[in-house]
Amino acid sequence: MSGNSHENHHHVSTAGQLWAVGTALLILTIITVVLAKFVTIPAPFDIITAISIAVVKAGLVAAFFMNLYWDTKFNAMLLLMAVAFFMLMVLITLLDTLYRVDVVPSF
Amino acid sequence: MANHSTSHPTHVQHHFVDADQQFDSAKMGMWVFLVNEILFFGGLFCAYIVYRSWYPELFTEAALELNTFWGAVNTVVLIGSSLTVAMAIRSVQKDQIKGLKINLLITIALAIVFMVIKGFEYSHKFHLGIFPGEFYTFEGLEHAKAPIFFSIYYMLTGVHALHVLIGIGLIYWIYRRAVRGDFSSEYYTPVEITGLYWHLVDLIWIFLFPLLYLIE
């Protein structure tokens, strides 16, 4: 029984898969630099594009390098919860800082 | 239950049912730590977002002092090191200990390249008088809040660089244990867990690079 679960738990990626992910990350890095430096995208879409590409890259690293794609769903949930609580922290902070009448002078 | 204790490999501690449960528990524990790390960096990213929303023009101006080329090179270096860590784990899963050791050494080398480039970037800024907070003496930027941008820059990249240094130490430790013959496809939990840590360091940089270096 432990033999079976051993097979299920430890996914071994092929070298080809890992190189494909690495290459995809490299290409996305080149795309994000080219878009930022040589293409004029009107604000705020320049930030949105850059962050979207970063999210795709982060997703590739988390899914295939950190093995979440083949891992128990619980670990993926932990990561998503961290992201959710980060966004909650930013949201609540911005509800304050975006709507201040005067920015605190020393800040 | 009778064969429960006799079937245990030596690395399995007595409070775990079997090697798989021990491996999964260790990995989950690492993920909980990574949640902690994400929220720790999250506070710094939050400061970045608040200040960028207050002073968008400052970020456009001040980011010109950062060298996109070296930032991009460091991004590629870290992606490469993540790939070699993933290859190291694949090697140990296939009992290729030589491949494990080589990939760990390449990872350490890439991490050192990252730190050297970061060091040159920092020393160039220090030379110009771009220090964090009240120590800022650079005259080249008009914006009154310029020191704040660089405080955020130094905090984010400095704490990240600290993680890279700790990562170098951890991967070297894993390498020494690999040389000692501690790991095989049956037991490689520390390799897997250190790998997760290293990938997180890469993940953070994936966001730092466009947020700091690619503002136009």
Side-chain angles (χ1 to χ4, degrees), chain A residues 12-33:
Chain A
V12 183
S13 305
T14 67
Q17 284 170 334
L18 296 177
W19 275 99
V21 174
T23 311
L25 291 170
L26 182 66
I27 292 170
L28 286 168
T29 304
I30 295 169
I31 290 175
T32 195
V33 172

Side-chain angles (χ1 to χ4, degrees), chain A residues 2 5-6 9-15 18-19 22 25-26 29 32-33 36-37 47 50-51 54-55 57-58 61 65-66 68 71 74-75 78-79 82 85-86 89-90 93-94 97-98 100 103 105-107, chain B residues 18 20 23-24 27-28 31-32 34-35 38-39 42-43 45-46 49-55 68 72 75-76 79 82-83 86-87 90 93-94 145 148 188 196 199-200 202-203 206-207 209-211 214 216:
Chain A
S2 76
S5 61
H6 189 264
H9 274 92
H10 298 230
H11 173 87
V12 183
S13 305
T14 67
L18 296 177
W19 275 99
L25 291 170
L26 182 66
T29 304
T32 195
V33 172
K37 287 288 160 186
I47 307 170
I51 294 300
V55 168
K57 287 168 73 182
V61 172
F65 282 174
M66 299 171 102
L68 282 180
D71 206 353
F74 191 84
N75 290 341
L78 286 175
L79 176 62
F85 275 93
F86 165 66
M89 169 165 70
V90 171
T93 310
L94 286 178
T97 62
L98 280 183
R100 289 183 186 180
V103 173
S106 62
F107 287 88
Chain B
D18 55 26
D20 277 336
F23 179 83
D24 287 342
K27 199 154 79 166
M28 194 193 95
W31 271 106
V32 171
L34 296 187
V35 168
I38 289 167
L39 290 172
F45 278 109
C46 190
I49 293 167
V50 167
Y51 277 99
R52 189 159 176 181
S53 72
W54 276 347
Y55 308 112
T68 309
T75 308
V76 174
I79 288 171
S82 254
L83 177 62
M87 294 296 273
R90 176 184 143 77
Q93 284 172 330
K94 292 169 69 72
K145 301 290 182 186
I148 287 179
Y188 61 96
L196 285 178
H199 293 312
L200 187 88
D202 184 27
L203 271 189
I206 283 174
F207 287 96
F209 172 59
L211 286 177
L214 292 181
E216 286 288 291

Side-chain angles (χ1 to χ4, degrees), chain B residues 162-180:
Chain B
L162 182 66
H163 279 76
V164 174
L165 283 179
I166 293 169
I168 292 174
L170 288 173
I171 295 167
Y172 182 65
W173 169 65
I174 295 295
Y175 170 75
R176 290 297 299 271
R177 289 192 64 182
V179 170
R180 209 167 66 189

